[in-house]
Amino acid sequence: MKNREIQIKFREFQQADLNSIDNNLVSKAVEAAKNAYAPYSHFRVGAAVLLADGSLVLGNNQENAAYPSGLCAERVALFYANANYPNTSVDTICVVVIDKDDNVIPQSVSPCGSCRQVIAETEMRYKSDIRILLVSKDSILEFKSIKDLLPLSFSQQDLLKR
Ligand code: THU
């Protein structure tokens, strides 16, 4: 038996440390969250996706009375980006949750497993790392790739191993 370890790296920023591009992404993610359709959870999530050509795509969570039919903000934004800009890689995805007064909540959101898997697929599709910004009231966590949030992920490579 061997003990193995996986380390993940991320950076923590204050809002004041962000450059204008990232500041804009945070603002756009907050704006997107305001349009979330979350009548069941009241948990309003916004995602702003910056593409390699500078285009911006926004998404928010879309819930459904048949709960599993809803979709998270990250996947709404990424699927829209991949559907409408199929030849453009994704540079950054910025995710935020707002409270009932439209303020960013104190804890940063932790993307669900399905969203991590979709981000991983998008990295693989475009052969390009996606920077992930998880925003909270007082700080922003930056991951340089989904590999830090979803190590040992299932991918196309696993299918080829059959
Ligand atoms: N949700 C997101 O949109 N993104 C996340 O990263 C976590 C969860 C949504 C799904 C559902 O509409 C609500 O938040 C509560 O889980």
Side-chain angles (χ1 to χ4, degrees), residues 38 41 43 45 61-63 71-74 95 109-112 115:
S41 72
F43 192 73
V45 189
N61 51 329
Q62 297 293 316
E63 297 187 347
L71 203 62
C72 294
E74 296 92 321
V95 192
V109 65
S110 189
C112 79
C115 287

Side-chain angles (χ1 to χ4, degrees), residues 119-133:
I119 298 170
E121 184 77 20
T122 308
E123 279 198 353
M124 191 205 61
R125 173 175 174 173
Y126 295 105
K127 297 182 177 45
S128 171
D129 285 352
I130 297 176
R131 198 163 64 101
I132 299 156
L133 298 178

Side-chain angles (χ1 to χ4, degrees), residues 12 15-16 23 25 28-29 31 45 50 60 63 80 91 96 104 108 113 120 126 136 143 157:
E12 183 168 2
Q15 184 111 29
N23 246 316
L25 273 180
K28 290 290 182 351
E31 288 309 305
V45 189
L50 176 67
N60 42 46
E63 297 187 347
Y80 184 95
D91 181 273
V96 69
V104 175
S108 59
Y126 295 105
S136 63
F143 299 82
Q157 299 308 318

Side-chain angles (χ1 to χ4, degrees), residues 45-84:
V45 189
V49 169
L50 176 67
L51 302 184
D53 67 357
S55 305
L56 205 58
V57 169
L58 304 182
N60 42 46
N61 51 329
Q62 297 293 316
E63 297 187 347
N64 195 289
Y67 288 5
S69 300
L71 203 62
C72 294
E74 296 92 321
R75 275 176 290 161
V76 168
L78 276 178
F79 286 151
Y80 184 95
N82 295 343
N84 292 285

Side-chain angles (χ1 to χ4, degrees), residues 89-107:
S89 61
V90 173
D91 181 273
T92 302
I93 182 167
C94 172
V95 192
V96 69
V97 180
I98 57 171
D99 65 18
K100 61 176 173 30
D101 299 316
D102 292 348
N103 295 314
V104 175
I105 66 168
Q107 308 81 19

